[in-house]
Amino acid sequence: MPYEQLGINTPSPVLSWANHPLGSDEIKMAKNVASLPFVFKHVALMPDVHLGKGALVGSVIATKETIIPAAVGVDLGCGMSAIKTPFTGEQLEGKLKKIRLDIEAAIPTGFNENKDVEKSASNWQRWRDFKDLHRGVQDLESKAMKQMGSLGGGERLPHLTVM
């Protein structure tokens, strides 16, 4: 799939695979991210890129000596984990679909949640802190309890990447 390099003046280039014209707010956000001192090589924009909080949803920001799991939208880092395994791409060839399906069967994703509150979630001592939150979100405690151990309400599917 072809990409274009956005013609914006930034220390790191922005390469776009977007399948739609970018608006001025999206270009401004891409420019801000590409100007960060720890960006490695370039910022990549995926086909469905759109505005986020801090960075574009659908952007890939490789970094040097820096980790920014919540760059795109406050909770995006939740449910994410990078784990180095002893497996190579060749060893996993043809097996990734089954691995992904097994993960999806074990971990609620998308707008799903656990049917019952996990015992470890209900025993968490910090639930009492909900009373200190804005009254508009205090009632979300039961929803939060059911989402513990899931990927919450925003993440759609787990992502598997083999390096």
Side-chain angles (χ1 to χ4, degrees):
M1 178 178 214
Y3 67 89
E4 69 170 308
Q5 182 170 335
L6 297 186
I8 55 178
N9 186 20
T10 54
S12 299
V14 177
L15 307 181
S16 177
W17 283 260
N19 58 15
H20 61 281
L22 298 178
S24 61
D25 289 340
E26 291 167 317
I27 291 172
K28 181 179 177 184
M29 192 170 277
K31 186 174 183 173
N32 288 343
V33 170
S35 297
L36 294 171
F38 46 77
V39 170
F40 181 70
K41 292 194 179 182
H42 63 267
V43 173
L45 306 181
M46 299 297 99
D48 63 343
V49 68
H50 57 278
L51 286 176
K53 293 183 181 178
L56 294 165
V57 176
S59 61
V60 178
I61 310 162
T63 61
K64 301 181 275 201
E65 300 177 7
T66 303
I67 297 172
I68 47 172
V72 172
V74 187
D75 77 332
L76 191 65
C78 77
M80 294 183 71
S81 180
I83 301 169
K84 184 174 182 175
T85 70
F87 305 111
T88 64
E90 293 80 32
Q91 291 173 305
L92 297 175
E93 187 70 37
K95 299 176 185 174
L96 290 179
K97 184 175 182 178
K98 180 176 179 352
I99 292 170
R100 181 177 170 151
L101 291 172
D102 289 347
I103 292 170
E104 291 174 19
I107 302 170
T109 59
F111 290 98
N112 296 323
E113 54 190 30
N114 294 300
K115 289 179 179 44
D116 300 308
V117 174
E118 298 287 330
K119 185 175 182 177
S120 59
S122 61
N123 289 336
W124 188 48
Q125 299 301 306
R126 301 280 315 262
W127 292 120
R128 65 179 169 267
D129 294 343
F130 268 66
K131 70 180 180 358
D132 298 329
L133 297 176
H134 183 277
R135 61 183 140 77
V137 295
Q138 287 176 347
D139 294 339
L140 295 179
E141 178 179 352
S142 64
K143 184 169 184 66
M145 281 185 173
K146 287 184 178 178
Q147 287 188 349
M148 284 280 250
S150 77
L151 290 181
E155 284 69 44
R156 289 189 200 107
L157 299 171
H159 299 280
L160 298 174
T161 302
V162 178
M163 307 280 241

